[in-house]
Amino acid sequence: DAVNTAAASAFAVSSAGTAAINVDRVVVSGKTVTLMLSRAVAGGEMLKLSYTKPTTGDNVIQDATGNDAASFTDRAVSNLARDTTAPVLGSATVNGRLLVLTYTDVGNLDTDAGKIVAASAFAVSSVGNEAISVSSVSVTGKTVTLTLSRAVAGGETLKLSYTRPTTGDNVIQDATGNDAASFTDRAVSNLARDTTAPVLGSATVNGRLLVLTYTDATDLDAVRTAAASAFAVSSAGNEAISVSSVAVSDKTVTLTLSREVAGGETVKLSYTRPTTGDEVIQDAAGNDAASFMDQAVSNLIPDTTAPVLRGRNSVTVNGNRLELTYTDVTDLDVNKTAAASAFAVSSAGNAAISVDRVLVSYKTVILLLSREVVGGETLQLSYTRPATGENGIQDAAGNDAASFTDRAVRNLVRDTTAPVLGSATVNGLQLVLTYTDVTDLNEVNFVAASAFAVSSAGNEDISVSSVVVLGKTVTLTLSRYVHGGETVKLSYTKPATGDEGIRDRVGNDAASLTDQAVSNLVRDTMAPVLRNNATVRGDLLELTYADASDLDAVKTAAASAFAVSSAGNEAISVSGVFVSGKTVTLVLDRDVAGGETLKLSYTRPPTGDEVIQDAAGNDAASFTNQAVSNLVPDTTAPVLGSATVRGNQLVLTYTDAANLHTARTAAASAFAVSSAGYDAIRVDSVAVTGKTVTLTLNRRVGSSETVKLSYTKPTTGDEVIQDWAGNDAASFTDQAVSNLTPDTTAPVLDSATVNGRLLVLTYTDVGNLDTDARKIAAASAFAVSSVGNEAISVSNVSVMDKTVTLTLSRAVAGG
C-alpha cells in the first residue's frame, strides 16, 4: 500500500561504533519500502534496522488488502557501498604479558586464522632493558592482542613497532581487506601500577661530588627529593663530612659535600628516609627508596700518599705482640706486606728477638715475636723496606711505607714480676741464693739474718751470721761448715711490713721460701740406703732410698738387675726403670692385682756404672726378697675356675689374687650335689686350702655318674666362701662337675642285628666306644657263620658312639 504506509519514526537504523542514523522519509513502490537516511552510509559500515509496527491507526506497512507486515528488531543490512578505508591504530596498552592494539574502522578486523599477522612483524622495546619478544598474536573485533615473552613491570616504559609484510596476506587488515599501516616506536600505555621502589646500585665520590645511582623502571622524582640533612657521610679516621646540597637527575642523586675527599680516603654514606612528608628519594610513581647504613662509597680519586708512623705511641709491645700503627687515608695491604726478615728487634742487655710472623689489620702491622717481652725490658725496632718489586708495608693503593732504624718501642708490660729464686748452693760456710729477674736486686735494702732459717736433715739447725746482696745473688754466712752429702734446706720469711727484705730495684719483693732444697757442693761419699718401704700400685713398683743427695736419674740399673716374684704366680718381669729424686720406679709387664704378695731382689752389676747410685756416684747395695707393700686394694671376688670329683672328694678350684680364707668358709649345708638318675648326694664336710674348697661326700661317685653342684651364699654371717680380703665368691647353680673317677668296667654286648650287608653290634657302657681308626678291631677278628651256608667274610669295620658296624662280603637273605 503506497498510501497508508509507516512513518519515518517507526524505523530505527544503528551503525556499529557510531551514532544512530535518522530516517528522513519513507517511500513505497511495488513491494519495496525505501528509507531516505539523514546521511550517506560509508563503505564497510555495518548497519542494523528495527521496525516497530504502530499499535493504532493504519499508517503501517501493509499490502493492498490491508494485511500488516510484522515488526522486527536488529535486522542486518547488506551494505552495497565498497569499503576502501584502512584500519587506523587508536591505542596501545600493556598489562603484564598482554599488549593490546585497538584499531578504529567501519568494520572489524579480519580474524581469519590463516591471515593473522606473524609475531615476527612486531618489535617491543623496554627502556633500559633487553627487547621483549612476542610469543603469539590473536585478533578479535577491532583489537590485536600480543602475548609477550615476559610480564612487563609496573612503571616500565615500552615502545612498539609494526612492519607490514610486503608479500602475502598475513597482515593486520579489516574484513574487506584494507591493510593497516606500519608504525615505529609507538608509545605503549603501561596499565600495571609501579609498586617497586628504586634500589641503590652504586655510590661513587670524586672530589666534592658524591653520586648515588639507582635502578628503577622509571626515573627518580627530581622535584620532591630528600633534604641534605637526610644524609650522613663518614670518613675513616676523619671527622664526618656534611652535605651542602642534593640534586636529582634521571636515576642519579648527586650530593655536594662540604669538602674535597682525598685520594684513597675511605668514605661511607648513610641515608635516613624521613618518616613524614614527601621530601624523600622516590621514583615518578611515588615509590620511596629505602634507608641504608654505612654504604661503602667508591673513591674515584687515586691515593698517592704513603703510610706514616707518627707519635711516640705508634710502636708498642705487649708480651710477644709488637704493633706498628700507621696513619693513612686507606688501610694497609693485608696480602702484600713485609716478610718477618725485614724487621730487626733488639733488647737492651739481651740477645736480639726474632720475628716469627707478620700480620696486618686495617692500619696496624703486628709482629709476633719469638718470645714474650717482660716488664721493664727496653726494645728498639728497625724496618728495612725491601727492594723494588718485593712485598713491603704498603697501603691498599700500593704506596710503600719508609724504612726506619732503632725506633724506640713503648713497653706496655709493667714490671710486676718479683725476683724468682733460681738456685741455692752451699759450700762450707757460704750459702748462696741466685735469683732470676729483669733487673738486679736492691743492694742497698737491708736484709736481716733472722729472716732466714737453715736446717740440716738429722742435725741441729744452722744459724746465719751475716747477709750480703750483690747483683742477683744473696750470700749467707753460716755459723758452721756443711759436710759432704749433708742435706740442707732453707726457709726465708719476707718481712710483713716496711721495705726490708729481698726485692728488685723496681720494688717487687721476692717471695718467702719454705724448706727450699740447697745443693751441697761439698763432695758426697755416702751410698744410698734402701728404706724398708717398697710399694706397688698397678704396674708401678717404687723403691725409696735415704741419701744426702738425689739418685742419678741417667746412669741407673737396667731392668735385668731386678727380680720380682709373686706368691703363687709366675715371676713378673720388669720392662722399664725410671729414677726421680730418691725414688726408683720399676715398670712391670703387668698390673699387680689387689692382695697379690710380692717380693723384690736387686743384684748390683759387678762392672759398669749402670747401677743404683746417687748423684755423687755412690752405689746402693744389692738386696734379696725385699717385701713389697701392695697398695692396690683387693676388691675382686674369687671366681670359680673348675669343679672335679674323684670318689667321694669334690674339689672346687678358684682363681683370685689371694688365697681363700681358711677359717671363715661356707658350711656343708650351703652346697647341693646332684647325680643324674640318682638321689642327691650329701656333703659331710668342707675344707679350704690355698685357692681350693674340698667337699667330702657321703658316698663315692661312680665313674659313669654325671654330677652337678650348686652353692648358695648365706645372706647373713661371714661363713661364706671368700678370700682373705673378705670378697665373697658368688652363688652358682647346676655347675657341671668333671668326673675324674676312673672307668674300670668293660663295654658289654647288648644286641646284634643284620640288615642286608650291614651287621650292627650295640654295646652298653658308661661312655662311648673308642673311635680312633688306629684302635678299631680288624675285620679278621670277627667270624660270621650262616646255618646251611658258607661262612660270610667281613670286609670293613666302623665304630660310632656305642655301635660297631661290620660290612659283610654279601647281603644276608631274609630269614
Side-chain angles (χ1 to χ4, degrees):
D1 188 333
V3 178
N4 297 312
T5 192
S9 58
F11 298 93
V13 181
S14 63
S15 174
T18 61
I21 305 173
N22 295 328
V23 178
D24 289 345
R25 189 156 62 96
V26 181
V27 178
V28 175
S29 176
K31 292 182 172 67
T32 63
V33 177
T34 301
L35 307 183
M36 304 302 291
L37 304 180
S38 62
R39 69 167 174 85
V41 174
E45 194 170 356
M46 298 176 64
L47 296 187
K48 287 188 178 179
L49 174 67
S50 297
Y51 162 65
T52 305
K53 184 180 76 171
T55 56
T56 58
D58 54 4
N59 283 331
V60 296
I61 299 174
Q62 54 183 300
D63 61 18
T65 59
N67 298 304
D68 294 347
S71 297
F72 55 84
T73 302
D74 289 337
R75 177 70 178 252
V77 179
S78 297
N79 190 344
L80 302 181
R82 185 171 175 273
D83 179 11
T84 59
T85 304
V88 176
L89 180 61
S91 65
T93 62
V94 67
N95 196 337
R97 292 184 63 192
L98 299 180
L99 195 160
V100 179
L101 306 177
T102 303
Y103 281 84
T104 57
D105 198 67
V106 293
N108 288 332
L109 298 178
D110 192 340
T111 59
D112 186 343
K115 296 181 180 180
I116 292 176
V117 67
S120 58
F122 300 92
V124 182
S125 62
S126 173
V127 177
N129 296 298
E130 292 183 358
I132 306 171
S133 61
V134 178
S135 304
S136 63
V137 181
S138 63
V139 178
T140 177
K142 291 181 173 64
T143 62
V144 178
T145 301
L146 310 182
T147 302
L148 306 181
S149 59
R150 68 165 176 85
V152 175
E156 195 169 355
T157 303
L158 259 62
K159 289 189 177 179
L160 174 68
S161 297
Y162 164 62
T163 305
R164 185 181 66 186
T166 54
T167 59
D169 53 4
N170 286 96
V171 295
I172 300 174
Q173 57 182 258
D174 59 20
T176 57
N178 298 302
D179 294 348
S182 299
F183 55 83
T184 303
D185 290 339
R186 174 70 181 243
V188 179
S189 299
N190 191 342
L191 303 182
R193 183 171 174 270
D194 180 7
T195 59
T196 304
V199 176
L200 181 61
S202 65
T204 60
V205 67
N206 194 334
R208 292 184 62 193
L209 297 181
L210 195 159
V211 179
L212 306 177
T213 304
Y214 281 83
T215 57
D216 196 68
T218 60
D219 288 339
L220 300 178
D221 189 330
V223 178
R224 294 178 301 184
T225 194
S229 59
F231 300 91
V233 182
S234 62
S235 173
N238 296 297
E239 292 182 359
I241 306 171
S242 61
V243 177
S244 304
S245 63
V246 181
V248 175
S249 175
D250 298 330
K251 293 182 172 64
T252 62
V253 178
T254 301
L255 309 182
T256 301
L257 306 181
S258 59
R259 69 164 175 85
E260 298 270 345
V261 173
E265 191 171 356
T266 301
V267 175
K268 289 188 178 179
L269 173 68
S270 297
Y271 162 63
T272 305
R273 185 180 66 186
T275 54
T276 59
D278 55 3
E279 287 194 347
V280 296
I281 299 175
Q282 58 183 297
D283 59 19
N287 298 301
D288 294 350
S291 299
F292 55 81
M293 290 289 294
D294 292 337
Q295 168 70 37
V297 179
S298 299
N299 191 342
L300 304 181
I301 303 173
D303 175 14
T304 58
T305 304
V308 176
L309 273 177
R310 285 201 179 102
R312 62 184 295 271
N313 295 328
S314 59
V315 183
T316 61
V317 69
N318 196 335
N320 72 331
R321 187 182 176 101
L322 194 157
E323 294 188 359
L324 295 81
T325 303
Y326 282 84
T327 57
D328 198 67
V329 292
T330 62
D331 289 336
L332 300 178
D333 192 326
V334 298
N335 296 316
K336 295 184 292 185
T337 194
S341 58
F343 300 91
V345 183
S346 61
S347 172
N350 295 297
I353 305 173
S354 61
V355 177
D356 287 344
R357 193 175 171 200
V358 180
L359 304 174
V360 175
S361 176
Y362 300 109
K363 294 180 173 64
T364 303
V365 178
I366 301 165
L367 308 183
L368 297 181
L369 307 180
S370 59
R371 69 164 175 86
E372 299 270 342
V373 174
V374 298
E377 194 169 357
T378 304
L379 262 60
Q380 288 189 328
L381 174 68
S382 297
Y383 164 63
T384 304
R385 186 177 67 187
T388 306
E390 297 181 13
N391 291 340
I393 300 174
Q394 58 183 262
D395 60 20
N399 300 302
D400 291 341
S403 300
F404 56 82
T405 303
D406 291 339
R407 176 79 181 231
V409 179
R410 187 182 178 199
N411 191 344
L412 303 181
V413 185
R414 182 172 172 267
D415 181 8
T416 58
T417 304
V420 176
L421 181 63
S423 66
T425 62
V426 66
N427 195 337
L429 283 172
Q430 302 296 309
L431 194 159
V432 180
L433 306 178
T434 303
Y435 282 84
T436 57
D437 198 68
V438 291
T439 62
D440 286 340
L441 300 178
N442 190 332
E443 298 171 355
V444 177
N445 214 50
F446 177 74
V447 183
S450 59
F452 300 92
V454 182
S455 62
S456 173
N459 296 297
E460 291 181 358
D461 291 346
I462 306 171
S463 61
V464 177
S465 303
S466 63
V467 181
V468 176
V469 177
L470 182 64
K472 293 182 172 65
T473 64
V474 178
T475 302
L476 311 181
T477 300
L478 305 181
S479 60
R480 71 164 175 85
Y481 281 91
V482 172
H483 304 292
E486 191 172 359
T487 301
V488 175
K489 289 188 178 179
L490 171 70
S491 295
Y492 162 67
T493 304
K494 181 179 73 174
T497 58
D499 57 1
E500 297 181 357
I502 302 172
R503 59 173 47 179
D504 60 19
R505 290 182 176 176
V506 184
N508 298 304
D509 292 339
S512 297
L513 305 170
T514 302
D515 291 338
Q516 169 69 40
V518 179
S519 297
N520 191 343
L521 303 182
V522 183
R523 186 169 177 275
D524 176 14
T525 58
M526 301 291 293
V529 176
L530 179 64
R531 288 181 177 174
N532 190 23
N533 62 344
T535 61
V536 67
R537 186 188 297 274
D539 65 343
L540 298 179
L541 193 159
E542 290 188 355
L543 306 175
T544 303
Y545 281 84
D547 196 67
S549 60
D550 287 340
L551 300 178
D552 191 328
V554 178
K555 297 182 293 186
T556 193
S560 58
F562 299 91
V564 182
S565 61
S566 172
N569 295 300
E570 293 182 358
I572 305 173
S573 61
V574 178
S575 56
V577 180
F578 299 95
V579 174
S580 176
K582 294 179 175 62
T583 302
V584 179
T585 301
L586 309 183
V587 179
L588 308 181
D589 66 352
R590 69 167 175 84
D591 282 341
V592 173
E596 195 170 355
T597 302
L598 262 59
K599 289 191 176 179
L600 173 67
S601 297
Y602 163 64
T603 305
R604 186 178 65 185
T607 58
D609 54 3
E610 288 193 347
V611 294
I612 299 175
Q613 57 183 296
D614 60 19
N618 301 301
D619 294 350
S622 300
F623 57 83
T624 304
N625 290 336
Q626 169 73 36
V628 179
S629 298
N630 191 343
L631 303 182
V632 182
D634 181 5
T635 59
T636 304
V639 176
L640 181 61
S642 65
T644 61
V645 66
R646 184 187 297 272
N648 70 338
Q649 299 294 303
L650 195 157
V651 179
L652 305 178
T653 302
Y654 281 84
T655 57
D656 196 66
N659 288 333
L660 300 179
H661 201 305
T662 57
R664 297 193 305 256
T665 194
S669 58
F671 300 93
V673 182
S674 63
S675 175
Y678 297 92
D679 290 338
I681 305 172
R682 189 181 68 248
V683 177
D684 286 343
S685 63
V686 181
V688 176
T689 178
K691 294 182 175 66
T692 63
V693 179
T694 301
L695 309 182
T696 301
L697 308 180
N698 70 330
R699 71 169 176 84
R700 291 180 62 82
V701 174
S703 61
S704 61
E705 274 186 86
T706 300
V707 176
K708 289 189 177 179
L709 173 67
S710 297
Y711 163 63
T712 304
K713 184 178 76 173
T715 55
T716 59
D718 55 4
E719 288 193 347
V720 294
I721 300 175
Q722 59 180 241
D723 58 21
W724 281 98
N727 300 302
D728 295 348
S731 299
F732 55 82
T733 303
D734 290 340
Q735 168 71 36
V737 179
S738 299
N739 193 340
L740 303 181
T741 304
D743 177 8
T744 57
T745 304
V748 176
L749 181 62
D750 181 60
S751 66
T753 61
V754 68
N755 191 340
R757 292 185 63 194
L758 298 180
L759 192 158
V760 179
L761 307 178
T762 302
Y763 283 84
T764 57
D765 197 61
V766 292
N768 289 331
L769 300 178
D770 193 340
T771 59
D772 188 340
R774 296 171 298 176
K775 297 181 181 178
I776 294 175
S780 58
F782 300 92
V784 182
S785 62
S786 173
V787 178
N789 295 299
E790 291 182 357
I792 306 171
S793 62
V794 177
S795 57
N796 185 56
V797 181
S798 63
V799 177
M800 184 168 55
D801 297 334
K802 291 181 173 65
T803 62
V804 178
T805 301
L806 309 182
T807 303
L808 306 181
S809 59
R810 68 168 175 82
V812 175

